[in-house]
Amino acid sequence: MKTQNFSAGDSDKQALFESIFDTASDAIVCVDGFQNIAMFNRQAEQLFGYRAEEVIGQPLACLLPKHTRGRHELHVLSFAQEKTERRLMGSRAELSALRKDGSEFPVEISIAKVKLSEERTLFTAIVRDVTERKLAEQALQKAHEELEIRVEQRTADLKAANEELRTFAYIVSHDLRAPLVNLKGFSGELRFSLDELQSLLLSCELPEDIRKQVVSLLEADIPESLNYIELAATRMDQLINAILKLSRLGHQKLIIQTIDLNKAVDEALTALAHQIDLGGIEVHCETLPPLRADLTVVGSIIDNLLSNAIKYSDPARKNLIKIYATHHEKGTTIHVQDQGRGIAEDDKSKVFQIFRRAGTQDVPGEGMGLSYVQAMLRRHGGTIDFVSVLGQGSTFSFSIPDDLEEREPR
Amino acid sequence: MSPVNQTLSLLLVEDDPGHARLIEKNLRRAGIFNPIQIMTHGQEIVDYLQQYKKLSHQNQIAQPILILLDLNLPVVSGYQVLELIKTDPMLRTIPIIVLTTTDDPREIEKCYELGCNVYVTKPVDYTDFIDAIQKLGLFLHVVQLPSTGRK
């Protein structure tokens, strides 16, 4: 400590010192070389519950809980031998002090030694009650632990709910299939019976007007009804298969490897070549970077996005589909940009919903693709997003994180 | 085509009467004229097999049987029936053809693990369904069956 040179007398210095000593906001206790209390400020009186005159001359031990006394003496002895002049105690280790009423409280103490002469050393201890801080720390620690438990609980709940949903989808789809076998089967049987009936009736001699009616029934009305039944069953079967496909997603193991995106895109384009020709669509693909991901999943995503871009092209104009990639700190994003019909503002929220299909319903499809894509990406730790302007086109962009090998498949 | 062993009885364990009827019709179309006994739940076949074992015990000749088994059965499931038969030394040689709507690879694997002899999926599409049952019929014409019912 540096002190300014006061031009004041010794009595002034003494008054100044006493004022500082007593108004300090921390408790200050001075101990002589024999571990007896030499000075005790006002804060110390408040903190320990003793008046100064009660403790001055008493051993320091009266301010320490019995179980820490030995330890404390060792501290002081080692500190007395050290060359360092000050030391903070209790900042890490648990240190406690004893009040007059016998209660203990946690403290943090910074001690300093002052060598008055060869034989006399005075120790100054600034004592701070850290009860509140310790309580706050404990509360924080407890809150942390509780939070962790809650997160674990929630995660377990979510996992269970997810599994339940998957099982539900799985069971429902299988149970729904069984009646379809009957619908289709007995429609087929009716067709067989119809054929037999037809040959039987037509070999009979019938009056012309009745014959006409019979032919109309056998060749138009009944087959029409059967057609509708079969179509509905087929459609239902497609929907069920789509749900099944989604429910099975969670069970497939992902194989993360470095894949050639260009090859994946080429394969998708080859498979879609017919539709591309038919729609007079031009496809422009930039050279894409290698990607660490599951090949089947990425191939299927590219397939879905490209076939959507083709399906929803605008027949009224020339369509260009662009495929390109961007790289950013979190991973790689692949964009499929089209100049198709685009998605109306109101329909944007439905894009990833299962079985929802936005806009004019003139293209066959089960409305399954994008919800499937999103579910696949989610398992991959990836995301999908899009921007779209009605009448101008859409860009669908999916991102795959770079650190996939460290990720547990979900 | 040589007729299938005339004494062979087909046990069709199927809870959906529509399915049972369609299977029967198409087996007949495929030239299978053996008796077909339809059971609508798992317990029925379990009881039947107890009786079957008793006959074998008394050294009476029980009719050879082949089981066509659906998986989604009430009371006792197809898996349980499969396990019960394949872990019983007296019954394990009875051929079991699982005939079900499930085409999940894991379910198929599970059935073979439990000892099913053939797994056939019932397609929803009726043309495919007829095709599957006809092929099953052809298979029944050529398959060699173990001599059962004798000790």
Side-chain angles (χ1 to χ4, degrees):
Chain A
M1 182 173 71
K2 294 219 167 117
T3 47
Q4 235 177 313
N5 277 328
F6 282 100
S7 54
D10 275 358
S11 65
D12 284 346
K13 274 188 187 166
Q14 181 67 25
L16 182 66
F17 169 75
E18 274 175 14
S19 146
I20 292 173
F21 187 69
D22 272 339
T23 54
S25 62
D26 288 322
I28 303 172
V29 179
C30 295
V31 184
D32 62 20
F34 304 101
Q35 295 287 300
N36 288 328
I37 296 166
M39 289 167 82
F40 205 70
N41 78 344
R42 221 166 267 161
Q43 268 312 113
E45 288 183 324
Q46 286 208 342
L47 192 58
F48 289 94
Y50 287 107
R51 275 180 294 116
E53 50 270 36
E54 284 180 276
V55 286
I56 285 178
Q58 298 294 318
L60 175 67
C62 71
L63 301 181
L64 301 171
K66 269 203 183 105
H67 59 94
T68 68
R69 280 175 198 169
R71 195 153 41 105
H72 184 80
E73 266 162 40
L74 282 177
H75 270 304
V76 174
L77 279 175
S78 79
F79 179 59
Q81 318 268 298
E82 274 175 30
K83 288 214 168 110
T84 42
E85 288 187 330
R86 52 197 95 244
R87 186 200 263 191
L88 184 66
M89 295 163 74
S91 62
R92 292 219 186 100
E94 300 292 314
L95 212 62
S96 48
L98 187 67
R99 288 195 194 91
K100 187 182 180 181
D101 63 12
S103 59
E104 278 181 42
F105 59 103
V107 287
E108 195 178 86
I109 305 174
S110 57
I111 50 174
K113 57 185 167 196
V114 188
K115 221 172 172 116
L116 297 176
S117 65
E118 226 17 74
E119 297 86 43
R120 283 190 70 202
T121 304
L122 200 65
F123 297 92
T124 317
I126 297 176
V127 185
R128 192 169 284 175
D129 181 354
V130 291
T131 306
E132 272 174 27
R133 203 183 72 197
K134 291 275 177 210
L135 283 178
E137 276 172 12
Q138 278 166 12
L140 194 65
Q141 174 73 19
K142 206 176 151 209
H144 266 302
E145 280 163 11
E146 279 173 3
L147 192 66
E148 225 157 86
I149 291 170
R150 254 165 55 197
V151 168
E152 262 168 40
Q153 182 69 44
R154 292 272 158 85
T155 313
D157 286 354
L158 272 178
K159 268 189 186 158
N162 210 1
E163 189 52 43
E164 213 169 275
L165 198 65
R166 209 177 275 155
T167 312
F168 172 77
Y170 184 78
I171 291 171
V172 163
S173 2
H174 277 117
D175 288 356
L176 287 178
R177 239 184 201 179
L180 289 181
V181 172
N182 284 331
L183 271 180
K184 285 244 178 181
F186 287 102
S187 301
E189 288 300 325
L190 268 178
R191 271 185 204 282
F192 292 151
S193 306
L194 196 62
D195 284 348
E196 276 178 50
L197 189 65
Q198 196 163 18
S199 57
L200 281 175
L201 275 174
L202 296 184
S203 65
C204 299
E205 297 228 356
L206 293 167
E208 191 51 30
D209 55 334
I210 291 182
R211 187 186 183 84
K212 261 190 182 166
Q213 281 183 43
V214 166
V215 167
S216 157
L217 280 173
L218 291 181
E219 290 181 359
D221 296 357
I222 299 176
E224 187 194 35
S225 305
L226 286 175
N227 259 344
Y228 276 114
I229 294 171
E230 282 171 348
L231 268 178
T234 305
R235 172 97 188 103
M236 186 85 183
D237 189 36
Q238 284 168 354
L239 294 178
I240 290 167
N241 284 336
I243 299 178
L244 256 182
K245 204 168 143 194
L246 254 190
S247 78
R248 275 179 198 169
L249 245 187
H251 298 297
Q252 282 156 7
K253 217 179 149 106
L254 296 176
I255 303 161
I256 306 299
Q257 53 181 337
T258 305
I259 56 175
D260 183 356
L261 276 174
N262 299 295
K263 212 174 136 206
V265 170
D266 276 351
E267 275 169 17
L269 287 176
T270 311
L272 293 163
H274 181 64
Q275 287 98 305
I276 293 173
D277 275 356
L278 218 63
I281 296 163
E282 197 183 318
V283 181
H284 186 86
C285 182
E286 287 180 10
T287 306
L288 302 170
L291 187 70
R292 280 193 68 78
D294 181 278
L295 179 62
T296 326
V297 168
V298 170
S300 174
I301 292 168
I302 290 176
D303 239 23
N304 267 289
L305 294 185
L306 277 175
S307 74
N308 272 351
I310 294 162
K311 255 191 222 170
Y312 298 103
S313 61
D314 190 340
R317 61 163 184 265
K318 176 111 185 109
N319 284 275
L320 174 68
I321 295 173
K322 267 195 215 167
I323 305 151
Y324 59 98
T326 49
H327 194 264
H328 44 91
E329 55 185 36
K330 279 184 187 156
T332 306
T333 304
I334 292 102
H335 310 266
V336 177
Q337 185 181 46
D338 67 51
Q339 296 173 342
R341 47 183 85 170
I343 300 157
E345 242 7 87
D346 285 350
D347 289 332
K348 284 187 175 166
S349 61
K350 296 181 199 159
V351 161
F352 294 110
Q353 285 175 17
I354 189 167
F355 299 148
R356 290 301 190 92
R357 300 178 63 213
T360 327
Q361 304 288 302
D362 59 347
V363 196
E366 59 207 9
M368 177 59 199
L370 284 174
S371 52
Y372 186 61
V373 164
Q374 196 179 38
M376 278 193 293
L377 272 167
R378 218 173 258 156
R379 276 197 77 214
H380 234 82
T383 51
I384 181 162
D385 211 347
F386 69 98
V387 282
S388 184
V389 180
L390 189 63
Q392 288 184 28
S394 313
T395 303
F396 278 85
S397 310
F398 69 95
S399 304
I400 303 267
D402 280 340
D403 58 346
L404 259 190
E405 58 274 13
E406 291 150 29
R407 215 171 267 273
E408 275 281 299
R410 272 180 282 186
Chain B
M1 206 182 303
S2 62
V4 184
N5 183 355
Q6 291 297 319
T7 59
L8 174 74
S9 228
L10 298 177
L11 301 185
L12 176 55
V13 193
E14 170 64 72
D15 67 318
D16 188 315
H19 288 205
R21 188 80 187 101
L22 292 174
I23 292 165
E24 196 182 353
K25 268 176 181 279
N26 285 294
L27 281 175
R28 298 286 181 239
R29 284 192 183 115
I32 302 292
F33 295 105
N34 299 62
I36 298 177
Q37 201 171 334
I38 295 167
M39 305 184 173
T40 54
H41 58 78
Q43 190 58 49
E44 223 177 312
I45 179 82
V46 171
D47 294 345
Y48 178 93
L49 289 172
Q50 289 311 318
Q51 194 59 36
Y52 183 85
K53 272 167 77 173
K54 225 183 260 170
L55 281 178
S56 302
H57 260 305
Q58 293 160 1
N59 259 344
Q60 296 185 26
I61 301 162
Q63 214 174 10
I65 51 174
L66 182 144
I67 298 171
L68 293 167
L69 183 67
D70 187 16
L71 290 179
N72 309 312
L73 294 171
V75 195
V76 182
S77 83
Y79 295 110
Q80 285 168 299
V81 172
L82 190 55
E83 193 165 8
L84 193 124
I85 295 173
K86 290 301 176 183
T87 53
D88 187 323
M90 283 197 65
L91 301 174
R92 64 198 302 173
T93 53
I94 298 173
I96 298 183
I97 296 174
V98 170
L99 189 55
T100 189
T101 43
T102 313
D103 59 358
D104 190 295
R106 288 172 306 145
E107 309 284 326
I108 296 172
E109 202 179 305
K110 189 171 158 195
C111 280
Y112 279 113
E113 265 169 23
L114 287 175
C116 111
N117 301 87
V118 178
Y119 191 107
V120 179
T121 304
K122 286 183 243 173
V124 172
D125 187 276
Y126 196 48
T127 317
D128 296 341
F129 184 95
I130 293 174
D131 196 41
I133 305 297
Q134 298 248 330
K135 282 183 181 146
L136 180 61
L138 289 178
F139 176 74
L140 290 179
H141 278 290
V142 297
V143 76
Q144 292 291 325
L145 298 167
S147 51
T148 45
R150 266 172 249 255
K151 277 203 81 176

